[in-house]
Amino acid sequence: MNRVSIMFDISPVSHEFDEEIQHKIDNKTKPLGALGELENLAMQLARVLGKDKPEIIKPKLLVFAADHGIAASGVSIAPSDVTTQMVMNFIKGGAAINVFCRQVGFELEVIDCGILQPLEGVEGIIEQRLGAGTNPIHKQAAMTLGAVKQGFEMARNRIEYHHQQGTNLIACGEMGIGNTSSAAAIMASIMNIKGSECVGRGTGIDAATLKRKQLLVEQALHLHQPELTSPMNILACLGGFEIVQITGAMLAAAERKMLVVVDGFIATAAAMVAVQINENVRDYMIFGHQSDERGHCLMMEHLQARPLLTLSMRLGEGTGAALALPIIQAAAGFYNEMASFSDAGIEI
């Protein structure tokens, strides 16, 4: 086990009570397996949160925001200024993620991991800056290994705060113009496939911009190939400040036996790195949805993940993770509250 794995001491979930949990699920007033994936989800909740009465407590959705140097080369429909503008929209409560969090009962937190212009004096934002945007990954490493380690510690501290408040489920969203390029490069590196197979249209770029984006991602992979020998190096060479902190948050949450709801393409890239660092983190992950971004389906296959929702979304922000919360709560609800055949006096 490498040193980073040891830094995050994550226990695999126990399967000791699987038979008891399955018996409880099977004896609810329904045909065997009739609740489909909800039954598998209930099994996971019971393993992580306890077999007697698993409950979701104080769920938090953390949006990690940062800028990317590659954005200056025209890989998106929007300039980097939009990252800051959208962060302000989050703070004011006007974005899709705000609407969905209010609707489903997620408490939203916005974290500045390194947007270009710091929002000094703005209430409602957590400052965990690692810099003012990363370096362009097709020209040089995105950041230093020191920045990756610092980002992990910042994320760990934030998760510890929420753990102390009683939270047992977090979801991770993101905002950062250019971050699908970084996520695609990470995916290609981990899966050892061509960058062109991973690069999609992001927020809706045209064919010419897509070709440029593919070329720059391939350039980044070629430039850093000798260094892409560990998860930490992959993050340092190809990552984003928000991707680093999402990775750290996932690992820290699993270490505290909290459930982790994974959002779309960028968050799943972070999940892939987290699993490379400590495979036990996978036991705590729930995949909220399958994004419409090219490559996300391959990511899910790589992680042997089944998304709860497939809605052709590609917005980011954590929106898919937010919409999954009622499904997760429904799985806990039927497990805890649905009558058994004996409770209902039904003989089969």
Side-chain angles (χ1 to χ4, degrees):
M1 186 176 290
N2 63 45
R3 190 169 66 180
V4 184
S5 297
I6 296 170
M7 179 170 49
F8 292 97
D9 184 14
I10 303 171
S11 302
V13 298
S14 173
H15 294 265
E16 180 182 359
F17 301 107
D18 280 9
E19 187 174 338
E20 181 181 340
I21 295 166
Q22 191 64 54
H23 178 77
K24 183 172 180 177
I25 292 171
D26 289 345
N27 280 275
K28 298 296 185 181
T29 47
K30 59 172 182 59
L32 282 176
L35 287 176
E37 288 299 319
L38 281 180
E39 298 190 17
N40 296 329
L41 183 54
M43 172 66 81
Q44 183 181 11
L45 299 184
R47 285 172 180 162
V48 175
L49 303 180
K51 64 182 175 63
D52 295 327
K53 193 175 183 181
E55 294 182 286
I56 307 303
I57 301 171
K58 297 183 179 179
K60 300 291 189 302
L61 194 147
L62 314 181
V63 177
F64 297 82
D67 276 304
H68 291 251
I70 196 172
S73 296
V75 293
S76 176
I77 61 171
S80 290
D81 291 349
V82 171
T83 304
T84 300
Q85 293 165 11
M86 281 303 300
V87 167
M88 287 302 301
N89 195 23
F90 299 153
I91 298 301
K92 293 175 182 177
I97 192 58
N98 301 98
V99 175
F100 295 163
C101 282
R102 287 193 294 266
Q103 180 178 7
V104 305
F106 256 127
E107 183 177 330
L108 179 64
E109 180 171 280
V110 183
I111 301 172
D112 175 8
C113 305
I115 60 178
L116 285 177
Q117 296 297 325
L119 297 172
E120 297 176 355
V122 176
E123 291 187 9
I125 189 165
I126 305 298
E127 186 176 311
Q128 296 188 170
R129 293 176 60 80
L130 296 172
T134 58
N135 300 318
I137 61 173
H138 59 297
K139 295 180 179 179
Q140 61 191 105
M143 67 193 82
T144 64
L145 277 171
V148 175
K149 294 173 184 176
Q150 184 183 3
F152 277 9
E153 285 305 313
M154 287 176 166
R156 184 203 287 276
N157 291 339
R158 200 64 205 158
I159 293 299
E160 182 61 25
Y161 169 80
H162 289 301
H163 173 70
Q164 293 297 328
Q165 301 301 308
T167 293
N168 66 2
L169 178 147
I170 67 154
C172 297
E174 43 61 42
M175 177 62 213
I177 299 300
N179 62 9
T180 57
S181 297
S182 180
I186 289 169
M187 172 190 175
S189 176
I190 290 175
M191 294 182 64
N192 194 28
I193 59 178
K194 292 181 179 180
S196 57
E197 295 181 45
C198 308
V199 174
R201 292 186 179 271
T203 48
I205 56 177
D206 60 22
T209 306
L210 176 62
K211 185 175 181 180
R212 183 186 313 118
K213 183 177 177 181
Q214 291 172 330
L215 289 172
L216 294 182
V217 168
E218 290 284 8
Q219 186 176 326
L221 290 166
H222 178 75
L223 174 65
H224 301 297
Q225 186 58 46
E227 305 298 324
L228 302 178
T229 55
S230 72
M232 297 288 281
N233 281 1
I234 289 172
L235 286 174
C237 291
L238 304 173
F241 294 146
E242 81 281 35
I243 296 175
V244 165
Q245 293 198 38
I246 292 172
T247 304
M250 290 175 172
L251 290 162
E255 184 177 42
R256 285 302 192 178
K257 296 181 168 56
M258 300 162 70
L259 290 162
V260 176
V261 186
V262 183
D263 188 49
F265 186 64
I266 292 91
T268 306
M272 291 175 74
V273 180
V275 170
Q276 291 268 305
I277 291 171
N278 191 318
E279 64 183 10
N280 292 336
V281 69
R282 177 66 182 81
D283 291 348
Y284 299 85
M285 291 177 174
I286 297 170
F287 292 81
H289 78 124
Q290 184 169 301
S291 167
D292 206 35
E293 177 69 7
R294 181 182 182 184
H296 197 216
C297 181
L298 290 176
M299 283 178 161
M300 302 293 252
E301 291 175 4
H302 176 81
L303 291 168
Q304 297 182 320
R306 293 177 68 101
L308 296 181
L309 297 167
T310 304
L311 298 172
S312 299
M313 293 170 59
R314 50 182 174 82
L315 179 59
E317 302 179 9
T319 47
L323 292 175
L325 181 61
I327 298 174
I328 298 167
Q329 291 169 325
F334 99 76
Y335 183 88
N336 294 331
E337 301 173 25
M338 190 174 175
S340 67
F341 286 109
S342 59
D343 291 337
I346 298 173
E347 296 183 9
I348 57 171

